[in-house]
Amino acid sequence: MPRRISLYVMVAIFLIAGLALTLYRHLELQVPWTPGETRQVWHVEALVSFDAQGEPARVTLALPDDLDGYRLLSEHTASPGYGLHYVDTEVGRRAEWTIRQALGSQQIYYSAQFLVDDDTRGTPAPTPALPERVVWEHPLGTAAAQVIESARQRSADSVSLAREIARRVTGETGNDENIRLLKSRFDTPELLLRLLHQAGVPARMEQGLILEDGRRRQALEPWVVVFDGERQLLLDPRTGRTGQPDHLLLWETGGQPVLEVVGGSGSRLSFSMLRRDEPAAIAAQNNLQAGGVLDFSIHSLPLEEQALFKNILLIPIGALVTVILRILIGIRTSGTFMPVLIAMAFMHTTL
């Protein structure tokens, strides 16, 4: 009796462990339940071009990571003759290409694949510090103060104040002499950011990319992020609308320059993008390549070892089928493993 209880306990432990591991791989690693499932994957390629001056060159590009709604699957670069180094900073990742001597037109490619995943959340960005002082030329300072005071009277907190300022900057409240004066000196995104800082609202400029299937030579667009404690509000400086629109990929979220080129001139950055519906197994393989004990899979092994293990795993499955046929159905077999070995021999000889 005690032996039978121990057997039941072991079976229950292995059953619970197997179910837990199955749920983990499905929820966290996106391993599909059934074959044939697809996932939406965006392929984004960045092209950096500049004219080298025959001296050492250094190119630094901001790189995205896991974002809200998008999981980074893989990334690749093409930069013949350049050394490549990835740098992790407090405000995000950057890629740095270096070369001892470059002359003439240069092109560097960076491509990444993003899996559309509503459960993915990016790392929360720290609240930026307010500048000690926002400097305005006369009479721009007076106009900025009047715009902020008018918006403050119609707001209750930092978020509503940011919305009111954005409405005025984008012209939703009608013609405003102060706004026209300020826009004659500053671009709309920069003006909105300066007014928010003047009003004491923590905000930062970020660079995003609107994903459209098949588009080429696209540029990053500025977005303003407002911080209010643990809340973050995304503002479109072109329309004044709040919230993150569909298919927006925030490429740079630390408020740093997206591209820096030393040793060259006329630098340009453009993006191309393509959407594909790929089998869910491909996305799962990319997630499993991260490593770890729970993330181990046959697909993380080399192809030769994958084929070997697939054949080995057929043995316990065949033994289980043989035992069911012998015990439940009553079919006579030549032992437990002999029918399995004979079946595998037929498979390998293609009979």
Side-chain angles (χ1 to χ4, degrees):
M1 190 66 178
R3 293 183 178 179
R4 185 171 297 181
I5 295 177
S6 300
L7 176 62
Y8 292 156
V9 171
M10 291 180 60
V11 171
I13 292 176
F14 284 120
L15 181 61
I16 294 174
L19 291 175
L21 183 59
T22 301
L23 290 174
Y24 167 79
R25 292 163 68 86
H26 175 72
L27 298 176
E28 296 295 329
L29 305 180
Q30 303 294 321
V31 176
W33 291 119
T34 59
E37 294 186 22
T38 60
R39 296 287 189 272
Q40 189 178 102
V41 178
W42 284 94
H43 298 251
V44 182
E45 182 182 80
L47 170 60
V48 178
S49 57
F50 65 98
D51 297 323
Q53 302 171 351
E55 57 186 35
R58 183 189 306 272
V59 179
T60 305
L61 177 66
L63 302 182
D65 208 337
D66 288 345
L67 304 167
D68 291 351
Y70 296 93
R71 176 179 296 184
L72 179 63
L73 292 181
S74 62
E75 54 186 356
H76 307 280
T77 63
S79 52
Y82 283 81
L84 173 62
H85 181 63
Y86 293 99
V87 180
D88 291 325
T89 65
E90 296 181 355
V91 293
R93 300 189 309 130
R94 301 187 73 87
E96 184 178 85
W97 291 271
T98 54
I99 191 172
R100 177 63 62 179
Q101 185 178 16
L103 180 63
S105 178
Q106 305 290 311
Q107 290 185 334
I108 295 176
Y109 291 89
Y110 169 85
S111 63
Q113 296 184 22
F114 296 92
L115 171 68
V116 178
D117 182 12
D118 296 334
D119 297 330
T120 301
R121 291 291 177 266
T123 303
T127 302
L130 287 171
E132 296 182 358
R133 183 184 178 187
V134 181
V135 180
W136 303 90
E137 298 177 359
H138 184 75
L140 299 181
T142 303
Q146 292 178 0
V147 172
I148 294 173
E149 183 59 28
S150 175
R152 195 184 301 276
Q153 294 177 1
R154 295 176 176 268
S155 63
D157 52 18
S158 297
V159 173
S160 58
L161 176 59
R163 290 196 187 103
E164 289 296 325
I165 294 177
R167 288 182 56 212
R168 284 159 173 75
V169 171
T170 56
E172 290 189 7
T173 58
N175 294 328
D176 191 327
E177 294 293 339
N178 294 323
I179 293 297
R180 285 204 295 268
L181 177 61
L182 293 170
K183 282 188 174 181
S184 65
R185 177 62 178 81
F186 300 100
D187 294 334
T188 301
E190 182 182 1
L191 174 59
L192 177 58
L193 188 64
R194 290 174 64 90
L195 289 173
L196 291 174
H197 287 167
Q198 179 73 20
V201 178
R204 179 170 55 217
M205 188 82 70
E206 298 184 356
Q207 302 293 327
L209 187 67
I210 298 295
L211 298 178
E212 298 182 37
D213 188 23
R215 297 300 298 271
R216 302 172 55 201
R217 299 177 182 176
Q218 299 299 298
L220 293 174
E221 298 179 355
W223 298 79
V224 176
V225 181
V226 178
F227 295 81
D228 182 22
E230 297 182 354
R231 292 193 301 168
Q232 296 184 17
L233 177 68
L234 188 65
L235 285 175
D236 187 347
R238 290 159 294 277
T239 63
R241 297 178 180 176
T242 58
Q244 182 170 342
D246 296 336
H247 303 311
L248 172 62
L249 180 68
L250 291 174
W251 190 271
E252 200 286 319
T253 59
Q256 302 297 315
V258 178
L259 176 64
E260 294 179 323
V261 177
V262 178
S265 60
S267 59
R268 297 170 296 278
L269 175 63
S270 61
F271 293 85
S272 302
M273 62 208 72
L274 188 65
R275 184 186 64 192
R276 293 179 181 174
D277 292 329
E278 298 186 352
I282 296 179
Q285 287 184 18
N286 287 278
N287 293 331
L288 291 169
Q289 290 175 356
V293 177
L294 295 179
D295 299 347
F296 177 77
S297 169
I298 292 179
H299 298 292
S300 61
L301 298 174
L303 294 179
E304 184 177 357
E305 281 72 15
Q306 287 187 33
L308 175 62
F309 272 90
K310 285 181 179 179
N311 293 328
I312 293 177
L313 290 177
L314 288 177
I315 296 178
I317 297 176
L320 177 62
V321 173
T322 304
V323 170
I324 293 175
L325 292 176
R326 289 182 57 184
I327 297 177
L328 299 182
I329 302 179
I331 298 178
R332 283 187 169 185
T333 61
S334 301
T336 302
F337 292 99
M338 183 60 69
V340 180
L341 298 178
I342 294 175
M344 294 185 64
F346 280 127
M347 290 174 57
H348 284 283
T349 56
T350 66
L351 295 176

